[in-house]
Amino acid sequence: METSETELMLKGYGLTTAELFYRMPDYQSVLNSYLWQDYDLAPDHPKLFEFIEFWQREIEGPLHSVRFTHRKLIAPGEWRNVTGEFTLH
């Protein structure tokens, strides 16, 4: 069963974006980059490390480096209970 993005955010997941730099298989002196993005749990980042392991196992271009950032999109202080509504005109 697929979990919605909102449910993941409420469970503490945040958006992780990674830029993977890798060497071209035929031209080892050329670096290329690949962007990866998914909802993941900080600080362990299990989905990111699973993807890196997949890359090392299945992709021919060897990784040079990985740069990533993580942002929680919903924090506990951002929720408010709205009890009223104003209607104009």
Side-chain angles (χ1 to χ4, degrees):
M1 186 170 116
E2 188 70 24
T3 306
S4 74
E5 293 177 0
T6 305
E7 289 175 320
L8 288 174
M9 287 186 273
L10 291 173
K11 290 179 181 177
Y13 282 75
L15 190 61
T16 301
T17 304
E19 185 174 19
L20 294 89
F21 294 94
Y22 63 97
R23 298 192 183 278
M24 298 295 289
D26 295 336
Y27 303 97
Q28 291 290 311
S29 61
V30 177
L31 281 179
N32 205 353
S33 67
Y34 178 83
L35 285 176
W36 175 89
Q37 195 172 52
D38 203 352
Y39 290 98
D40 208 354
L41 283 170
D44 296 331
H45 300 287
K47 287 188 177 186
L48 174 59
F49 286 108
E50 180 182 321
F51 180 75
I52 290 172
E53 289 171 2
F54 164 79
W55 184 288
Q56 292 174 332
R57 190 176 58 248
E58 302 292 332
I59 307 295
E60 289 184 24
L63 286 174
H64 174 269
S65 59
V66 177
R67 179 171 60 173
F68 71 95
T69 184
H70 178 84
R71 169 101 168 118
K72 275 192 155 183
L73 301 176
I74 296 178
E78 294 179 9
W79 285 96
R80 291 183 298 162
N81 184 19
V82 178
T83 58
E85 181 178 330
F86 293 102
T87 304
L88 296 174
H89 303 287

